[in-house]
């Protein structure tokens, strides 16, 4: 995917004068940096002191250690899977080759590499992911808990290989600040986890090549921060990586300045990226997880180095953790909202570790759980590692402690998210919030008034996910579209207008009119959006506890006669038998058969779609780069601006 001149004009139109000026300055700096980059200042007597307290690794939970070692052994055998692509070349990786397309990114001045063009570069996400070096943090963690030096030796071999193959400012790995920031954070933890290995100092602080790389990464991040309309999760990753490195690797003349600047940026952007309710402003749940991981990792570095953080920083992370605890279902799964690219801030655990349970466990260890929090029984390694460095919140709270919810929140007014809960683990998320964050709303979907319904953690009415970013524009459009969500579409167009894969030029405005989750009988939600002006789409959702019945009423008011499409996307585990306007739903959970009936609006003509590609319809993406067929029920018809369309989902008892 290459960007046209029109895209650049649309992108420019979403910037303010200050951002435009900053980007002009960036362009001038890139031209100036085209000449041979300077060498890092000479460092003598560097020592790494940001170590784990004695005994931390030895006290790791046995189940977590077992998963970690199994994962490390797969990595040692050269096997890994990224975004649905199985790789067996990890013993000696080619750092610039995309295993999906077989293409190699060109070796050129970094800012000349056309990384958005898959024909020229390959799938850049595939190339970048390996070079985040989070698989090396896993190997380093395996060394820390086992003492087996073969893990440490492989880490050293791969780092030296990467540093040799990716000289500063050359190639695809010097383009994106989020990649540099996460890579620095990985290097900090690799050094920490290898501290007992005799070769650790020779690999890092006594190694001129490593020092040169660390210095150039930080110089780059100081020069080219994400700014303005791009100051989303990227800028948090950049600041967290810069701060971590300048704390743990504070060996350079500029380290104190970098540390102070990064901490100011981290504090400002954590607050800017987070609603007061604690939810992430991008309204893309996986980025809530990413930003929380990055924030906790940065806090660990601050406390390890004895650096005082601004008074607001810990409370932001506390609110984010409480919000996560509030929105997960009974299986600790959060909403599937907005973009998701499987990005992590810090990885030290093996496959099978629950990301969300891990974050809640860390929140419990650092901030303390509230009585209404869901129970977390799974063990992970990252929690005790972070908790060994982060000072308990109660000992560092401001004189006026941040109030925490006495009961589990169900309505987040600023984010427009409402969670309705019923018996037998019925969970329903209703979306009446802002379209996205900042002027481009980069990671938003056109999903106003959509619903997401689960039963005991199983997707029944599912958010289909994301699947891809670059290279497959028709699939990117589908998974972001209004038709690709459980909501109503008019005249075959999206509620919000896309200007490109990470750009919205017109954003629908939603408003929640009623959010009544207090009663035990019937929980109610009612909202509207203006994406189809002059027509207004309103949706009413009611969840009746006694009857285990969810009612969705779509109201279309005003405007001319318009074509209607109403979509309900079923989860991949759901089998559906559609007869006229009634669908019988069946699935299995923990060996038990489950059943539900979906009564659909009779004014529309209903058809089931599954695994269609031209155009895409009937798909579910469990993770980035992965998709599988799933049933989508689509009703088509017309409205004259006075119609109500009623859908009833009835769960049957076990």
């Amino acid at each position: 995917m290459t960007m046209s001149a029109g895209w650049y004009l649309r992108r420019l139109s979403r910037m303010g004068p200050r951002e435009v000026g900053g980007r002009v300055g960036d362009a001038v700096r890139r031209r100036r940096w085209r000449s041979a980059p300077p060498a890092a200042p000479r460092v003598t007597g560097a020592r790494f002191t940001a170590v784990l307290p004695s005994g931390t690794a030895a006290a790791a939970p046995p189940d977590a250690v077992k998963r970690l070692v199994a994962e490390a052994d797969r990595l040692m055998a050269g096997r890994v899977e990224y975004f649905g692509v199985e790789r067996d070349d990890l013993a000696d990786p080619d750092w610039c080759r995309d295993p999906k397309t077989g293409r190699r990114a060109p070796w050129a001045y970094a800012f000349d590499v056309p990384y958005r063009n898959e024909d020229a570069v390959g799938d850049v996400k595939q190339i970048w992911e390996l070079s985040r070096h989070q698989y090396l943090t896993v190997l380093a963690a395996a060394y820390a808990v086992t003492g087996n030096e073969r893990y440490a030796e492989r880490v050293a071999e791969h780092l030296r290989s990467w540093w040799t193959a990716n000289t500063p400012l050359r190639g695809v790995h010097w383009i994106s600040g989020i990649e540099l920031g996460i890579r620095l954070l990985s290097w900090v933890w690799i050094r920490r986890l290898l501290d007992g290995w005799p070769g650790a100092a020779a690999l890092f602080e006594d190694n001129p090549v490593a020092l040169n790389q660390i210095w150039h990464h930080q110089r780059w991040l100081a020069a080219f921060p994400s700014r303005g309309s791009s100051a989303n999760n990227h800028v948090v990753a950049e600041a967290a990586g810069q701060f971590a490195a300048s704390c743990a690797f504070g060996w350079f003349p500029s380290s104190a300045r970098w540390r102070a600047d990064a901490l100011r940026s981290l504090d400002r952007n954590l607050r800017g990226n987070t609603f007061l309710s604690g939810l992430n402003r991008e309204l893309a749940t996986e980025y809530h997880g990413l930003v929380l991981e990055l924030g906790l990792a940065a806090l660990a570095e601050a406390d390890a180095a004895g650096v005082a953080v601004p008074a607001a920083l810990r409370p932001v992370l506390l609110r984010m953790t409480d919000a996560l605890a509030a929105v997960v279902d009974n299986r600790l799964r959060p909403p599937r909202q907005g973009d998701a690219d499987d990005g992590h801030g810090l990885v030290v655990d093996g496959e099978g570790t629950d990301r969300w349970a891990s974050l809640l466990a860390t929140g419990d260890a650092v901030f303390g759980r509230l009585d209404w929090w869901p129970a977390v029984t799974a063990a992970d390694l990252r929690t005790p590692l972070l908790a060994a460095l982060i000072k308990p919140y109660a000992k560092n709270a401001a004189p006026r402690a941040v109030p925490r919810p006495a009961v589990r929140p169900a309505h987040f007014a600023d984010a427009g998210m409402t969670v309705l809960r019923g018996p037998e683990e019925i969970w329903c998320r209703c979306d009446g919030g802002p379209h996205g964050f900042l002027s481009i709303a980069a990671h938003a979907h056109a999903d106003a008034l959509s619903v997401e319904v689960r039963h005991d953690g199983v997707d029944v009415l599912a958010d289909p996910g994301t699947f891809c970013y670059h290279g497959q524009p028709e699939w990117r459009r589908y998974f972001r579209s209004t038709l690709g969500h459980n909501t109503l579409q008019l005249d075959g167009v999206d509620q919000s207008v896309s200007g490109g894969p990470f750009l919205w030029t017109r954003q629908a405005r939603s408003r929640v009119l009623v959010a009544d989750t207090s009663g035990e009988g019937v929980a109610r939600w009612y909202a509207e959006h203006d994406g189809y002006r002059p027509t207004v789409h309103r949706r009413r959702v009611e969840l009746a506890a006694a009857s285990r019945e969810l009612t969705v009423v779509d109201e279309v008011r005003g405007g001319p006669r318009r074509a209607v499409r109403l979509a309900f996307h079923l989860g991949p585990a759901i089998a559906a038998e559609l007869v006229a306007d009634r669908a019988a739903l069946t699935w299995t959970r923990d060996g038990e058969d489950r059943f539900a009936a979906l009564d659909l609006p009779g004014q529309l003509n209903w058809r089931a779609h599954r695994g269609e590609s031209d155009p895409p319809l009937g798909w579910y993406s469990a993770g980035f780069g992965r998709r599988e067929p799933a049933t989508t029920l689509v009703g088509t018809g017309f409205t004259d601006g006075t119609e109500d369309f009623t859908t009833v989902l009835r769960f049957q008892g076990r």
Side-chain angles (χ1 to χ4, degrees):
M1 180 185 298
T2 54
M3 300 304 179
S4 66
W7 179 87
Y8 284 103
L9 289 173
R10 291 190 296 273
R11 184 67 182 84
L12 182 64
S13 73
R14 311 304 292 175
M15 301 179 192
R18 184 173 181 179
E19 180 179 356
V20 171
R23 290 179 181 272
V24 169
D26 290 346
V28 171
R29 192 172 296 110
R30 287 171 183 147
R31 289 179 63 87
R32 191 168 68 243
W33 283 23
R34 184 180 291 275
S35 59
R42 185 175 179 180
V43 173
T44 58
R47 293 293 178 263
F48 183 82
T49 59
V51 297
L52 289 167
S54 178
T56 300
D63 287 348
V65 171
K66 183 178 179 180
R67 288 193 303 272
L68 169 63
V69 171
E71 178 76 3
D73 288 343
R74 280 192 294 272
L75 295 170
M76 291 293 290
R79 298 193 301 273
V80 71
E81 184 268 323
Y82 290 135
F83 312 135
V85 176
E86 297 283 348
R87 300 184 61 161
D88 60 4
D89 61 340
L90 212 63
D92 184 19
D94 181 339
W95 302 108
C96 293
R97 180 181 179 274
D98 166 27
K100 188 173 78 174
T101 65
R103 299 187 181 100
R104 295 191 81 258
W107 182 249
Y109 179 57
F111 299 113
D112 291 342
V113 177
Y115 68 96
R116 294 189 180 98
N117 186 344
E118 189 167 300
D119 291 335
V121 173
D123 184 337
V124 75
K125 286 276 295 173
Q126 288 284 349
I127 298 172
W128 279 344
E129 188 67 18
L130 191 65
S131 289
R132 289 186 171 189
H133 290 169
Q134 291 174 330
Y135 79 98
L136 295 181
T137 58
V138 170
L139 290 175
Y143 165 76
V145 300
T146 67
N148 190 327
E149 293 193 1
R150 71 190 184 103
Y151 299 125
E153 290 164 357
R154 177 62 60 84
V155 171
E157 176 188 343
H158 279 207
L159 282 179
R160 289 192 172 102
S161 168
W162 195 93
W163 290 333
T164 299
N166 294 278
T167 53
L169 298 180
R170 302 293 296 181
V172 72
H173 297 300
W174 290 88
I175 299 171
S176 173
I178 188 175
E179 304 305 318
L180 276 74
I182 290 177
R183 192 155 54 238
L184 277 177
L185 185 59
S186 294
W187 292 353
V188 168
W189 274 90
I190 289 167
R191 177 61 185 88
R192 175 175 289 130
L193 292 166
L194 294 184
D195 192 61
W197 180 52
L203 179 62
F204 280 93
E205 56 265 33
D206 295 337
N207 181 0
V209 176
L211 294 172
N212 188 55
Q213 286 278 350
I214 294 167
W215 184 81
H216 273 286
H217 272 66
Q218 293 186 85
R219 175 179 180 256
W220 193 109
L221 290 171
F224 300 112
S226 293
R227 61 179 79 248
S229 55
S230 294
N232 53 13
N233 64 87
H234 283 234
V235 74
V236 176
E238 294 160 8
Q242 177 81 300
F243 179 71
S246 58
C247 285
F249 302 146
W251 308 319
F252 306 102
S254 298
S255 291
R257 174 172 56 83
W258 287 337
R259 182 166 56 248
D261 290 348
L263 184 56
R264 280 193 295 270
S265 175
L266 185 67
D267 175 52
R268 181 176 65 254
N269 287 291
L270 274 175
R271 287 185 284 111
N273 274 255
T274 308
F275 287 113
L276 288 177
S277 65
L279 290 179
N280 184 266
R281 285 184 182 271
E282 292 197 75
L283 295 173
T285 308
E286 284 216 3
Y287 289 111
H288 182 109
L290 173 65
V291 169
L292 181 53
E293 289 170 351
L294 291 165
L296 289 168
L299 183 58
E301 298 307 326
D303 287 352
V307 176
V309 300
L313 194 146
R314 292 177 201 268
V316 169
L317 300 175
L318 169 61
R319 294 201 313 271
M320 292 183 71
T321 307
D322 279 342
L324 176 62
V327 300
V328 295
D329 65 21
N330 69 304
R331 301 281 180 145
L332 303 185
R333 293 183 63 214
R336 284 167 54 88
Q337 182 181 21
D339 272 349
D341 71 349
D342 297 357
H344 290 258
L346 173 64
V347 181
V348 293
D349 280 283
E351 186 178 352
T353 302
D354 187 306
R355 174 187 200 171
W356 309 104
S358 171
L359 278 170
L360 291 177
T362 304
D364 185 359
V366 173
F367 303 119
R369 72 185 310 276
L370 297 173
D371 291 341
W372 54 261
W373 272 33
V376 177
T377 58
D380 71 299
L381 179 60
R382 188 176 63 189
T383 288
L385 296 181
L386 288 173
L389 299 176
I390 299 175
K391 298 174 183 176
Y393 178 72
K395 297 180 182 179
N396 294 276
R400 298 181 62 184
V402 176
R404 299 177 70 183
V407 297
R408 189 176 202 169
H411 176 59
F412 298 82
D414 48 10
M417 181 188 293
T418 306
V419 177
L420 310 180
R421 297 178 189 270
E424 296 193 8
E425 299 82 32
I426 299 170
W427 176 97
C428 173
R429 173 183 64 87
C430 304
D431 181 1
H435 176 66
F437 183 46
L438 302 174
S439 62
I440 63 173
H443 291 297
H445 290 187
D447 56 357
L449 309 196
S450 63
V451 296
E452 184 185 2
V453 181
R454 298 177 192 156
H455 186 280
D456 197 11
V458 174
D459 293 310
V460 178
L461 301 183
D463 184 300
T466 299
F467 177 56
C468 67
Y469 282 170
H470 299 290
Q472 302 178 74
E474 70 281 8
W475 291 97
R476 176 66 171 152
R477 283 193 294 268
Y478 169 68
F479 278 99
R480 299 168 86 214
S481 71
T482 298
L483 181 63
H485 294 84
N486 296 317
T487 189
L488 181 142
Q489 183 194 61
L490 295 180
D491 291 341
V493 298
D494 290 337
Q495 308 148 334
S496 297
V497 177
S498 172
F502 297 98
L503 171 64
W504 296 91
T505 55
R506 185 176 64 78
Q507 303 174 18
R509 294 176 298 178
S510 299
R511 183 167 64 118
V512 176
L513 306 173
V514 175
D516 181 4
T517 62
S518 58
E520 296 184 1
V522 179
R524 296 181 174 87
W525 176 84
Y526 187 35
E528 66 181 15
H529 77 83
D530 67 353
Y532 292 120
R533 292 189 297 261
T535 302
V536 175
H537 173 208
R538 297 191 181 100
R539 172 169 273 188
R540 183 170 71 252
V541 178
E542 296 184 352
L543 177 58
S547 60
R548 299 188 297 276
E549 187 172 288
L550 184 80
T551 301
V552 180
V553 180
D554 288 292
E555 304 172 1
V556 181
R557 296 291 183 266
R561 177 178 169 84
R562 309 184 78 157
V564 171
R565 283 199 294 188
L566 179 60
F568 290 106
H569 300 263
L570 307 181
I574 308 299
E577 184 177 345
L578 176 66
V579 178
D581 56 4
R582 183 180 176 88
L585 311 182
T586 58
W587 66 98
T588 301
R589 179 60 150 168
D590 296 334
E592 294 184 11
D593 292 334
R594 311 286 177 90
F595 306 92
L598 188 61
D599 290 324
L600 301 159
Q603 310 100 302
L604 302 177
N605 296 314
W606 289 91
R607 181 183 169 192
H609 302 262
R610 185 176 179 85
E612 299 173 9
S613 299
D614 190 19
L617 187 59
W619 296 92
Y620 179 94
S621 174
F624 196 84
R626 299 185 293 276
R627 68 174 187 258
E628 60 186 299
T631 300
T632 297
L633 305 175
V634 179
T636 57
F638 293 89
T639 177
D640 61 4
T642 62
E643 296 282 346
D644 288 358
F645 302 96
T646 300
T647 304
V648 181
L649 175 62
R650 297 183 179 88
F651 292 97
Q652 300 178 21
R654 300 183 185 180

